[in-house]
Amino acid sequence: MGLLDKVKDLANKHDDKVDQGLEKVGDQIDTRTGGKFAQHVDKGVDEAQRRTGSGDTVQ
């Protein structure tokens, strides 16, 4: 099993933690940019969460 496969497997097993981390990163970007790109950041976070594990687990 290659490194990329191991990373994908971990992301799938810990989808809730990955989604929480992505939310925190998005919030940090919003804070640092003064929310100027909030709509784009939210869209990117949502898409990243959709692609990890079984989907977005953060409400």
Side-chain angles (χ1 to χ4, degrees), residues 23-44:
E23 279 292 328
K24 287 181 181 180
V25 169
D27 291 345
Q28 197 57 234
I29 292 170
D30 286 340
T31 298
R32 292 178 184 217
T33 62
K36 185 175 181 181
F37 305 102
Q39 183 178 9
H40 301 291
V41 172
D42 290 344
K43 185 176 180 182

Side-chain angles (χ1 to χ4, degrees), residues 3-57:
L3 180 60
L4 186 56
D5 291 329
K6 289 180 182 179
V7 170
K8 287 179 183 180
D9 188 46
L10 280 173
N12 286 333
K13 287 182 181 177
H14 302 285
D15 184 42
D16 57 335
K17 301 280 189 227
V18 172
D19 286 351
Q20 289 173 3
L22 290 167
E23 279 292 328
K24 287 181 181 180
V25 169
D27 291 345
Q28 197 57 234
I29 292 170
D30 286 340
T31 298
R32 292 178 184 217
T33 62
K36 185 175 181 181
F37 305 102
Q39 183 178 9
H40 301 291
V41 172
D42 290 344
K43 185 176 180 182
V45 168
D46 289 345
E47 182 63 21
Q49 287 174 333
R50 189 183 67 74
R51 291 177 180 245
T52 60
S54 58
D56 186 5
T57 58

